[in-house]
Amino acid sequence: MSLTLPAAYSSASKVGNIQENWIVQLYYDNEGANDWVGISMADTTVGSVFYHGVITNVPSIRSSINLVKSTAKTGNVSLNVVNFQYKGDDFSAELLFQGSRKYINRNVKIYSQLNGDSTLANCLQVYQGRLIDISHDDAKITLNITEQRPWDFITIPQTKTTDSKV
């Protein structure tokens, strides 16, 4: 994924005393314009959407490539999230048990927000992946996100023909 640096983000990064917040969009169902839930490291409102400040760890994007050995490891991110009340129930219930909304294998977008900027276009998208695993207890939820690869969900036919070549 190539990064496009918004002008406002670039300007804000040059000012001293920067406050960075990661905002995360967890998509569900058809991944339409309104088919996502927003969480972040600190409560914030961006584009009139409230992001719940429930991420408790400082996430890092992990990926590696070794050109000498021609190997690469898929990038991933783990988020530790408080199991807060969401729409009258635990957030873990929303992620796992809502019959109509499916979060597993759906898009996740992560943005870097500087100094509380309230416009999404001024935030830098630093990652896009898909939610592959959810684990939880009463107090916390762990979300595992992996980058999307071109070969995801592609199957290679394994059937062989009985015809022989003459």
Side-chain angles (χ1 to χ4, degrees):
M1 176 184 90
S2 63
L3 300 176
T4 303
L5 192 63
Y9 189 92
S10 177
S11 298
S13 67
K14 295 174 185 170
V15 178
N17 225 8
I18 298 171
Q19 291 182 334
E20 183 183 34
N21 184 24
W22 278 22
I23 59 175
V24 178
Q25 296 174 342
L26 299 168
Y27 283 81
Y28 57 85
D29 294 343
N30 295 324
E31 301 177 8
N34 298 319
D35 288 351
W36 54 270
V37 173
I39 60 174
S40 63
M41 295 171 66
D43 285 349
T44 190
T45 301
V46 177
S48 74
V49 175
F50 179 73
Y51 290 80
H52 303 271
V54 293
I55 299 173
T56 59
N57 65 324
V58 178
S60 62
I61 300 168
R62 298 172 300 272
S63 63
S64 67
I65 186 167
N66 184 329
L67 297 175
V68 174
K69 294 181 180 179
S70 297
T71 60
K73 292 184 180 176
T74 300
N76 64 352
V77 177
S78 292
L79 300 176
N80 295 332
V81 178
V82 174
N83 197 1
F84 67 105
Q85 287 293 301
Y86 181 78
K87 294 186 177 180
D89 204 352
D90 289 343
F91 190 53
S92 59
E94 168 69 19
L95 295 174
L96 293 168
F97 305 118
Q98 292 302 321
S100 63
R101 293 186 290 275
K102 309 289 188 231
Y103 289 87
I104 294 289
N105 285 327
R106 301 291 195 254
N107 267 332
V108 176
K109 292 182 182 178
I110 301 175
Y111 295 86
S112 172
Q113 174 197 40
L114 293 184
N115 301 329
D117 198 309
S118 62
T119 305
L120 189 61
N122 293 339
C123 297
L124 177 65
Q125 183 178 345
V126 294
Y127 190 80
Q128 180 168 344
R130 62 185 173 86
L131 182 63
I132 61 165
D133 185 48
I134 302 169
S135 59
H136 74 98
D137 59 25
D138 287 340
K140 71 174 185 164
I141 306 166
T142 302
L143 305 175
N144 290 312
I145 304 155
T146 189
E147 73 183 3
Q148 294 174 321
R149 299 164 300 212
W151 57 85
D152 283 348
F153 307 114
I154 293 177
T155 58
I156 299 170
Q158 300 294 317
T159 56
K160 296 179 182 178
T161 182
T162 58
D163 296 338
S164 62
K165 293 185 180 180
V166 181

